[in-house]
Amino acid sequence: MKTPRSAQSFLSIPEQRRFRNKLLAWYEAHRRDLPWRLNRDPYRVWLSEIMLQQTRVAAVIEHYQEFLRRFPTVEKLAAAREASVLAAWSGLGYYRRARMLHGAAKVVVRQYEGKFPRTADAWRALPGVGRYTAAAIASIAFEEPVAVVDGNVERVLQRVSGMRLTGEELWQVANELLDGKRPGDFNQAMMELGAVVCAPRAPACLTCPVVELCVTRGEMAPTAKPARQNKREIHYALDRRDGEILLIRRPLEASLMPGMWELPELTSTNGTGSPSFTLRHSITVSDYTVHVWRAAESRAAGKWIPVERLKQVALTGLARKILRKAEML
Ligand code: SF4
């Protein structure tokens, strides 16, 4: 059995190359013939990704073609009455998705003159498009080299690496493994592998294209829940000035999330006043109560980043959570 390496390099460079080649060759030969894979038209890709959120592939197949027949272009969708869009969505459930899709179509038509954004960051500005969906559309429709992480990809990465990767680490590892020349196919191949071979129960390792590179080769042993979680309180400064926020970069040699950006941690809070808000955050065996202080004046040695650029910054999971709660993301 192979010994796992660090999260960022559990496969050597030649192994990564082999992984990509084997996975892509398998995908070409075995991929399911799904209606949204007919071409890479961004409207079709977008629609399929929104429909597939929380919905089984078989149910989406039933509704996808009919929706496209009624609204063949983003212009037609934007011009439609909401009641018609909801009617066409009927049977798929989670109608909020349909309203968001409709709202996003209007933005694309009115603000972008009907031209779809080409990057994941730009897609994320549209209603109903989160990190996974943005990366899926940008990579599949425009070949932007951004990895996706969904439940299937998470399972494959954990089993191949033999590590319980979570949160931001998963995205980092997925991006490292991504095939930069064929990111759209690679992302779909990873999701397909998780859906049809590396299934949650009884993975079909004997037919798996990357079995020789996989540490686990089967289901991972369930982790015994730690008898007791460590509890800790931590304090962070949300330091703002003129539309900018102070962030600190983690050391490049840090074992966890090297080079990523976070808020300055406060070692003392002067013992007066109360934090702006508090949230909970769990990492492996630790439960953190995170207090965020606005007027902290930490003045740590960090960098002032314009708030509108935050979406492009590689933030830690906790920093993202805090900035979302502060409505800055
Ligand atoms: S060898 Fe088995 S566990 Fe490993 S990735 Fe393939 S199907 Fe999953």
Side-chain angles (χ1 to χ4, degrees), residues 310-328:
L310 282 175
K311 279 193 175 175
Q312 283 115 56
V313 177
L315 297 164
T316 63
L318 177 55
R320 195 171 290 281
K321 203 166 175 180
I322 294 173
L323 293 168
R324 284 221 179 98
K325 175 117 185 183
E327 297 183 344
M328 295 167 76

Side-chain angles (χ1 to χ4, degrees), residues 123-145:
W123 272 97
R124 281 195 78 178
L126 291 175
V129 179
R131 186 176 187 180
Y132 158 81
T133 306
I137 301 167
S139 63
I140 296 169
F142 299 106
E143 294 289 7
E144 190 190 7

Side-chain angles (χ1 to χ4, degrees), residues 31-321:
R31 67 186 208 160
R32 287 170 296 174
D33 206 5
L34 299 171
W36 44 92
R37 287 183 178 160
L38 271 184
N39 61 42
R40 293 177 178 238
D41 174 62
Y43 178 62
R44 295 174 62 98
V45 174
W46 172 43
L47 179 62
S48 69
E49 288 299 337
I50 301 294
M51 282 190 173
L52 286 164
Q53 290 168 1
Q54 297 136 323
T55 306
R56 286 175 306 110
V57 168
V60 174
I61 291 174
E62 271 176 39
H63 293 86
Y64 181 74
Q65 300 288 28
E66 177 55 18
F67 193 96
L68 273 177
R69 198 189 58 73
R70 288 171 81 163
F71 309 110
T73 62
V74 66
E75 286 81 4
K76 286 257 164 35
L77 179 59
R81 285 181 311 119
E82 185 177 275
S84 317
V85 178
L86 296 181
W89 199 264
S90 165
L92 283 163
Y94 300 101
Y95 286 85
R96 188 165 174 269
R97 292 179 298 170
R99 289 196 182 90
M100 296 276 213
L101 184 81
H102 192 209
K106 290 180 184 166
V107 175
V108 170
V109 169
R110 288 185 197 149
Q111 289 180 21
Y112 304 145
E113 298 170 344
K115 291 194 186 63
F116 284 103
R118 301 184 68 86
T119 65
D121 280 339
W123 272 97
R124 281 195 78 178
L126 291 175
V129 179
R131 186 176 187 180
Y132 158 81
T133 306
I137 301 167
S139 63
I140 296 169
F142 299 106
E143 294 289 7
E144 190 190 7
V146 283
V148 300
V149 175
D150 69 350
N152 285 322
V153 174
E154 175 175 341
R155 187 169 56 256
V156 170
L157 288 176
Q158 291 195 340
R159 287 177 177 167
V160 172
S161 68
M163 288 182 277
R164 297 240 172 233
L165 304 167
T166 57
E168 205 52 46
E169 249 184 343
L170 269 168
W171 288 88
Q172 276 188 327
V173 169
N175 269 307
E176 186 176 278
L177 206 51
L178 182 71
D179 188 308
K181 294 201 193 82
R182 296 176 58 189
D185 282 345
F186 182 88
N187 281 335
Q188 291 187 88
M190 285 289 278
M191 293 189 275
E192 189 93 338
L193 187 73
V196 302
V197 176
C198 194
R201 297 275 164 270
C205 302
L206 287 177
T207 60
C208 176
V210 293
V211 62
E212 55 142 325
L213 296 158
C214 180
V215 169
T216 312
R217 296 181 189 170
E219 289 177 43
M220 290 180 92
T223 40
K225 245 212 163 314
R228 207 162 54 95
Q229 290 279 103
N230 298 320
K231 291 196 187 309
R232 262 194 71 196
E233 299 217 357
I234 38 177
H235 302 264
Y236 283 101
L238 194 64
D239 217 351
R240 290 187 75 162
R241 68 167 194 205
D242 306 332
E244 293 181 319
I245 177 152
L246 187 67
L247 293 180
I248 289 186
R249 194 161 187 216
R250 292 176 64 80
L252 289 172
E253 58 282 4
S255 60
L256 269 181
M257 298 172 282
M260 300 194 70
W261 293 83
E262 60 189 359
L263 293 148
E265 188 174 346
L266 296 169
T267 46
S268 83
T269 56
N270 298 333
T272 55
S274 51
S276 291
F277 57 86
T278 294
L279 50 85
R280 306 214 177 275
H281 190 68
S282 295
I283 304 176
T284 57
V285 294
S286 298
D287 285 338
Y288 293 97
T289 302
V290 183
H291 301 292
V292 181
W293 299 76
R294 237 180 254 268
E297 303 265 334
S298 66
R299 302 293 174 236
K303 191 168 171 192
W304 290 96
I305 310 268
V307 170
E308 74 267 17
R309 275 204 48 232
L310 282 175
K311 279 193 175 175
Q312 283 115 56
V313 177
L315 297 164
T316 63
L318 177 55
R320 195 171 290 281
K321 203 166 175 180

